[in-house]
């Protein structure tokens, strides 16, 4: 029996909140990726790891906030905890691989294509693995063509986001890129949901138990808290808005005041190298008349 699917049981509330969470995760992740390209190599892995976790948590939170509005008529929906959190781990790891490639190889050419493809596949894998964690009295089926379209959207969005992160054009550029990325990721989610067909078995009695929102809300606490913490870290980064490299201030602080200025002040007033030979020539001229 074909199940009646409703993906907007709360109206536009869940799509809008999901989009904002995708934008938040994308903005934090892109900013961290941009900062990793401007700092010393010793700090780069930390910024890239923080960016990977931010983007992964953002798209995972977006997915399950959108799933709060997903219901099937007369069929209770439950979520498998280990499978649900496994989708979060897959998202962070695969997004991390793509971001590290772009962070170390540069966001251009083959590295950009490879990193964007892996990141996009991570987003799509998170979506469909999260859907596999649903438990209901029925069977899920997918339209192959629509699934392929959703995967292409995810890869294109990830590639565009990594390219934007490599431009390093300041805070407003990252905000604009995150808005586009959030729109693409949310579009990928609902494109994947459009590919879904539910065949209800009809063997279970209709349940009046917990709603999807009540089931998913406890799972979202951890990723939401992490996004808040990552936002605080990025917000208090002194160069977050300017987007300038930290190498020059670090090198000038210990080097120029201590080493560069001191030799200049020592050489200019003394002028020992030019005067010593002149004194020697004066003594030689003064001795020649005596010898004669």
């Amino acid at each position: 029996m074909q199940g009646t699917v409703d993906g907007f049981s709360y109206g536009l509330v869940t799509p809008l909140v999901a989009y904002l969470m995708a934008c938040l995760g994308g903005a934090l992740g892109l900013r961290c990726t941009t900062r990793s390209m401007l700092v010393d190599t010793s700090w780069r892995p930390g910024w890239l790891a923080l960016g990977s976790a931010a983007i992964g948590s953002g798209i995972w939170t977006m997915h399950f906030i959108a799933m709060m509005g997903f219901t099937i008529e007369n069929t209770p929906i439950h979520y498998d905890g280990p499978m649900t959190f496994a989708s979060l781990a897959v998202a962070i790891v695969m997004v991390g691989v793509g971001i590290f490639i772009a962070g170390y190889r540069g966001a251009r050419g083959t590295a950009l294509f490879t990193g964007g493809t892996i990141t996009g596949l991570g987003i799509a894998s998170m979506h469909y693995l999260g859907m596999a964690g649903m438990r209901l009295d029925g069977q899920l089926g997918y339209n192959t063509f629509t699934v392929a379209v959703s995967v292409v959207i995810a890869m294109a969005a990830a590639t565009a986001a990594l390219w934007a992160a490599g431009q390093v054009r300041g805070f407003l550029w990252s905000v604009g890129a995150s808005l586009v990325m959030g729109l693409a990721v949310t579009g990928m989610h609902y494109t994947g949901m459009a590919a879904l067909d539910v065949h209800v078995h009809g063997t279970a009695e209709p349940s009046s138990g917990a709603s999807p929102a009540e089931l998913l809300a406890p799972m979202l606490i951890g990723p939401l808290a992490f996004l808040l913490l990552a936002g605080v870290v990025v917000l208090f980064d002194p160069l977050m808005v300017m987007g300038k490299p930290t190498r020059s201030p670090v090198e000038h602080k210990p080097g120029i005041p201590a080493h560069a200025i001191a030799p200049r002040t020592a050489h200019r007033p003394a002028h020992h190298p030019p005067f010593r030979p002149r004194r020697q020539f004066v003594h030689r001229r003064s001795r020649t008349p005596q010898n004669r």
Side-chain angles (χ1 to χ4, degrees), residues 95-186:
V95 169
V97 172
I99 286 180
F100 268 78
I101 291 176
Y104 279 94
R105 298 288 184 178
R108 62 180 65 87
T110 305
L112 176 62
F113 176 77
T114 304
T117 300
I118 296 176
T119 303
L121 291 176
I123 296 173
S125 300
M126 180 281 305
H127 173 85
Y128 291 105
L129 188 59
M131 295 296 295
M134 294 177 59
R135 299 292 180 262
L136 55 102
D137 183 33
Q139 184 178 2
L140 303 180
Y142 294 95
N143 180 275
T144 304
F145 176 77
T146 311
V147 170
V149 171
S150 68
V151 174
V152 171
I153 292 175
M155 292 189 297
T159 303
L162 292 180
W163 175 81
Q167 298 305 304
V168 193
R169 296 184 182 179
F171 178 70
L172 294 179
W173 179 264
S174 297
V175 170
S178 65
L179 293 177
V180 175
M181 182 180 182
L183 181 63
V185 171
T186 307

Side-chain angles (χ1 to χ4, degrees), residues 194-207:
L196 178 66
D197 291 324
V198 181
H199 299 276
V200 180
H201 296 157
T203 58
E205 297 180 358
S207 174

Side-chain angles (χ1 to χ4, degrees), residues 3-280:
T4 303
V5 176
D6 184 9
F8 304 93
S9 59
Y10 292 99
L12 295 178
V13 175
T14 49
L16 289 177
V17 176
Y19 171 70
L20 291 177
M21 295 309 302
C23 292
L24 175 61
L28 295 176
L30 292 179
R31 200 59 202 162
C32 292
T33 305
T34 298
R35 294 290 289 113
S36 72
M37 299 177 183
L38 299 172
V39 298
D40 294 330
T41 55
S42 59
W43 288 93
R44 186 173 298 176
W47 281 107
L48 291 176
L50 183 61
S52 305
I55 294 178
S57 300
I59 61 177
W60 187 87
T61 305
M62 176 277 304
H63 171 82
F64 284 102
I65 287 179
M67 292 304 295
M68 287 182 179
F70 178 79
T71 57
I72 302 175
E73 186 179 0
N74 297 328
T75 303
I77 300 176
H78 301 280
Y79 291 88
D80 181 73
M83 185 72 73
T84 300
F85 287 108
S87 64
L88 174 61
V90 168
I92 293 176
V93 171
M94 293 193 68
V95 169
V97 172
I99 286 180
F100 268 78
I101 291 176
Y104 279 94
R105 298 288 184 178
R108 62 180 65 87
T110 305
L112 176 62
F113 176 77
T114 304
T117 300
I118 296 176
T119 303
L121 291 176
I123 296 173
S125 300
M126 180 281 305
H127 173 85
Y128 291 105
L129 188 59
M131 295 296 295
M134 294 177 59
R135 299 292 180 262
L136 55 102
D137 183 33
Q139 184 178 2
L140 303 180
Y142 294 95
N143 180 275
T144 304
F145 176 77
T146 311
V147 170
V149 171
S150 68
V151 174
V152 171
I153 292 175
M155 292 189 297
T159 303
L162 292 180
W163 175 81
Q167 298 305 304
V168 193
R169 296 184 182 179
F171 178 70
L172 294 179
W173 179 264
S174 297
V175 170
S178 65
L179 293 177
V180 175
M181 182 180 182
L183 181 63
V185 171
T186 307
M188 175 267 161
H189 170 83
Y190 285 103
T191 302
M193 296 303 294
L196 178 66
D197 291 324
V198 181
H199 299 276
V200 180
H201 296 157
T203 58
E205 297 180 358
S207 174
S208 60
S211 64
E214 294 173 344
L215 293 172
L216 293 173
M219 299 181 182
L220 297 174
I221 294 176
L224 286 174
F226 172 79
L227 288 175
L228 178 62
L229 180 61
V232 172
V233 172
V234 174
L235 182 63
F236 284 95
D237 175 31
L239 300 177
M240 188 269 294
V241 176
M242 298 302 296
K244 293 181 180 180
T246 59
R247 292 181 180 177
S248 56
V250 172
E251 292 179 358
H252 282 298
K253 285 182 179 179
I256 290 183
H259 300 287
I261 296 178
R264 290 178 182 176
T265 55
H267 283 295
R268 287 180 180 177
H271 296 288
H272 291 293
F275 280 101
R276 285 180 181 176
R278 290 179 181 177
R279 291 178 181 177
Q280 292 176 0

